[in-house]
Amino acid sequence: MSSAKTLVQSVKDVLDFAAGTKSLKVTEVEIPNINVKVIRTRLKLSQQRFADKFGLGVASIRNWEQGQRTPEGPARVLLSLISHQPKMVEEEVHRLRTGMGV
């Protein structure tokens, strides 16, 4: 199916759903927990150094590691990026801090 046909079909599906003539399938995706301590330990950084290096608050790091809070939304994305591409995130944080950002 072409992109245009897919788009047209999607719009029809939404209109049918709004009219009550079609039900939509809901797919739930399990997002694994992010273990901040594992990431930080693998990078051999203290909580303070980890927070400083990646532009995070040390209190947030402590709360996440102690299980008092869970990273959500953008923090989860950032932590995932740090886990997989720490050098890239570090370079971007540095760029933003030195005024060379967007």
Side-chain angles (χ1 to χ4, degrees):
M1 189 179 283
S2 73
S3 297
K5 286 182 182 178
T6 301
L7 181 60
V8 169
Q9 184 59 51
S10 296
V11 171
K12 287 180 182 177
D13 289 344
V14 169
L15 292 173
D16 289 344
F17 174 77
T21 59
K22 181 176 183 116
S23 62
L24 299 178
K25 180 181 175 185
V26 175
T27 303
E28 292 187 29
V29 177
E30 182 67 30
I31 299 172
N33 288 330
I34 295 190
N35 191 323
V36 178
K37 188 170 186 175
V38 168
I39 297 168
R40 181 180 61 76
T41 303
R42 191 180 72 237
L43 296 173
K44 299 177 181 158
L45 298 170
S46 67
Q47 289 179 337
Q48 185 66 57
R49 186 71 185 118
F50 185 85
D52 292 344
K53 184 177 277 251
F54 297 112
L56 299 162
V58 73
S60 294
I61 303 301
R62 277 192 211 108
N63 286 331
W64 293 332
E65 289 188 8
Q66 294 172 0
Q68 295 172 353
R69 294 196 180 264
T70 303
E72 296 182 12
R76 287 178 69 91
V77 173
L78 178 60
L79 290 165
S80 179
L81 285 170
I82 291 168
S83 178
H84 295 94
Q85 297 289 328
K87 192 69 175 161
M88 185 263 312
V89 176
E90 182 181 359
E91 289 170 359
E92 185 62 19
V93 169
H94 176 74
R95 235 173 41 83
L96 292 169
R97 283 182 175 155
T98 58
M100 298 170 51
V102 286

